[in-house]
Amino acid sequence: MFDHIGFGVTDYAVSKAFFLKALQPLGVGVVMEGEHGIGIGPKGKPALWLYQSAEKPAPLHLAFTAENRKQVQDFHHAALAAGGKDNGAPGLRPHYHPNYYGAFVIGPDGHNVEAVCHFPET
């Protein structure tokens, strides 16, 4: 449904560093950056836009697709190393569906950031 999402962050440099490090295991990187913020995403297409804002938005839940469970684990490790706070270690969440494997961290502005794989372990 979504082509991309954008939101303001209270500390651009901190949020940029956090999202780039946390999402690197998912193949996400800088696509473009300029006066309107930074567009990051996989394969040269910005999917997430961050821009400086004095206003702190209500916490969001941002879930990013992982191709496999190892990417979920790598995301969680990278996000914690980038300063995120643990909000759910990598693991199955069978209350969503039998193969829902996710990990959650709280990012710099209080957003719940998740990586999720919907496939069985290979």
Side-chain angles (χ1 to χ4, degrees):
M1 177 190 320
F2 295 106
D3 181 73
H4 62 274
I5 187 168
F7 56 90
V9 295
T10 57
D11 188 324
Y12 182 80
V14 168
S15 290
K16 174 184 172 181
F18 171 79
F19 279 100
L20 287 175
K21 187 168 187 174
L23 299 178
Q24 186 276 329
L26 306 180
V28 171
V30 175
V31 177
M32 59 183 66
E33 187 171 18
E35 65 180 287
H36 298 292
I38 186 170
I40 62 177
K43 302 175 184 154
K45 183 194 179 302
L48 177 66
W49 282 93
L50 305 175
Y51 56 90
Q52 180 67 44
S53 175
E55 297 179 47
K56 186 172 181 179
L60 303 170
H61 178 185
L62 303 165
F64 296 90
T65 302
E67 295 176 8
N68 54 57
R69 294 178 182 190
K70 182 173 182 338
Q71 281 189 339
V72 173
Q73 295 162 7
D74 292 347
F75 154 82
H76 190 254
H77 178 77
L80 293 177
K85 295 181 180 124
D86 182 40
N87 197 33
L92 287 170
R93 305 306 196 272
H95 52 285
Y96 297 132
H97 68 70
N99 291 315
Y100 195 108
Y101 189 89
F104 306 83
V105 297
I106 302 298
D109 279 305
H111 303 306
N112 184 25
V113 184
E114 173 186 5
V116 59
C117 174
H118 295 282
F119 303 114
E121 190 167 20
T122 56

